[in-house]
Amino acid sequence: MPEPTLQTQTPDQQEPAWVDRELDSLHENSDKHEKVRAMFNAIARSYDINNRLHSLWRDEAWRKRAVLEARVQPGEAVLDCACGTGDLTQAFARFSKADHIVGSDYTPNMLEIARHKREKLHEQLKARIEYQQADAQQLPFEDESFDVVAIAFGIRNVQDPDKAMREFHRVLRPGGRLMILEFGQPSFPPMRWFNNFYCGSIMPRTATWIARDTSGAYKYLPRSVTSFKTRDEMHQSYTEAGFQEVWSKPLTLGICNLFRGIRP
Ligand SMILES: C[S@@+](CC[C@H](N)C(=O)[O-])C[C@H]1O[C@@H](n2cnc3c(N)ncnc32)[C@H](O)[C@@H]1O
């Protein structure tokens, strides 16, 4: 893939990536790959602040938990796929003894911010992080080159998530762990009702306003969560991709789920 270039359009110059009627079947949309990239290009600059505010800073705790459950050993190599602005990549540098952490994403503006944030880190953290533009469904890495592959809030956005999971299996060494963080739906009915109301009616308005977004990103977000794979279906995807010892844990009453599987 060519090196990323920063898209110069401001959010209010962007064409909508999604129109309302497309959101009913967004995972089946054959243009999802390009639409998702256009959307993240549009919201990249305000992505972090929207994440913090709308998760009440829980997103940082969820990523830290993913790093700890990956059980990284000193000297191991980690791939943070669909790394976006690099928060999970940085969490691996801070909270694990990984030797080398590669953050990869296919959206230039998200990677641009990740690289900018890397420059501000202490030298010891910075030296262990590298960013690369790549499509999760076609990774430019050798077979068996990582000990951990992680993807946070990314798998739902990939055009063909099962193809990406087969790629993750390919680039992991035997014994390697695939960590997935993804939004879910709380099983406790009042919490589920509140979460649906918050994500469906409040967050799309406030996040769109903060991002000055016209791409439709924050209408897409709740619809993409409720129509994505359930926790059981994610377990099945892990197994079909060849992973074993599949484990998952609901976080914050199931607003988010953390998954782990081992490549035999
Ligand atoms: C919700 S953001 C998550 C970013 C980051 N992992 C985090 O924890 O904040 C989803 C990311 O997935 C990326 N993405 C979606 N489809 C992708 C693909 N096929 N290949 C690589 N990245 C992809 C988007 O560019 C975006 O940066």
Side-chain angles (χ1 to χ4, degrees):
M1 263 198 166
E3 276 302 291
T5 51
L6 189 66
Q7 308 287 304
T8 51
Q9 280 183 313
T10 62
D12 44 20
Q13 289 172 308
Q14 297 279 346
E15 293 291 316
W18 298 98
V19 291
D20 286 353
R21 72 185 138 72
E22 291 173 324
L23 295 175
D24 290 336
S25 55
L26 57 91
H27 294 299
E28 289 75 40
N29 191 310
S30 56
D31 295 329
K32 180 182 168 193
H33 187 77
E34 287 311 325
K35 285 173 179 288
V36 165
R37 178 155 42 190
M39 193 179 86
F40 282 106
N41 263 329
I43 62 168
R45 283 185 175 84
S46 51
Y47 177 81
D48 286 352
I49 184 67
N50 260 327
N51 267 357
R52 301 295 178 279
L53 277 175
H54 289 99
S55 73
L56 303 175
W57 274 259
R58 295 309 300 157
D59 65 320
E60 292 182 317
W62 296 333
R63 290 192 193 85
K64 181 174 179 181
R65 183 72 187 270
V67 172
L68 299 179
E69 297 289 358
R71 301 176 184 163
V72 182
Q73 302 301 308
E76 286 192 331
V78 174
L79 171 64
D80 174 19
C81 196
C83 66
T85 59
D87 282 346
L88 182 64
T89 324
Q90 288 196 15
F92 271 106
R94 285 182 208 284
F95 305 123
S96 86
K97 298 240 184 304
D99 201 36
H100 189 55
I101 306 138
V102 178
S104 72
D105 200 288
Y106 78 152
T107 302
N109 288 3
M110 296 291 271
L111 271 181
E112 184 74 22
I113 288 170
R115 289 190 166 110
H116 185 69
K117 284 161 63 175
R118 176 183 175 273
E119 287 313 302
K120 295 185 184 160
L121 294 177
H122 188 279
E123 202 53 48
Q124 280 173 346
L125 295 179
K126 197 160 107 175
R128 292 154 59 212
I129 294 177
E130 175 199 339
Y131 288 110
Q132 196 166 334
Q133 189 172 9
D135 178 357
Q137 302 161 108
Q138 218 174 345
L139 292 169
F141 306 112
E142 302 277 316
D143 294 358
E144 303 187 7
S145 43
F146 293 96
D147 302 284
V148 172
V149 173
I151 179 164
F153 313 110
I155 195 73
R156 165 179 43 89
N157 294 299
V158 173
Q159 176 94 48
D160 185 344
D162 293 324
K163 185 173 180 191
M165 287 180 72
R166 291 192 295 274
E167 272 296 83
F168 302 156
H169 187 275
R170 179 184 69 75
V171 301
L172 275 169
R173 296 188 180 114
R177 285 79 71 203
L178 170 61
M179 308 302 300
I180 298 183
L181 261 181
E182 193 47 85
F183 290 117
Q185 299 210 63
S187 51
F188 181 53
M191 185 62 192
R192 190 179 178 109
W193 179 87
F194 173 77
N195 191 51
N196 283 342
F197 175 66
Y198 175 71
C199 294
S201 301
I202 298 176
M203 182 279 296
R205 291 185 170 85
T206 49
T208 300
W209 181 75
I210 289 170
R212 293 193 297 128
D213 177 55
T214 55
S215 74
Y218 293 102
K219 283 186 188 170
Y220 161 93
L221 171 59
R223 303 287 285 272
S224 68
V225 172
T226 51
S227 55
F228 192 58
K229 295 173 191 284
T230 62
R231 198 169 147 206
D232 285 347
E233 287 167 343
M234 281 298 296
H235 274 246
Q236 197 183 333
S237 290
Y238 261 93
T239 307
E240 284 171 7
F243 290 93
Q244 293 182 351
E245 299 177 50
V246 183
W247 164 97
S248 67
K249 170 99 188 141
L251 305 178
T252 317
L253 296 171
I255 291 175
C256 179
N257 288 309
L258 175 61
F259 300 87
R260 184 182 58 217
I262 314 281
R263 193 248 209 243

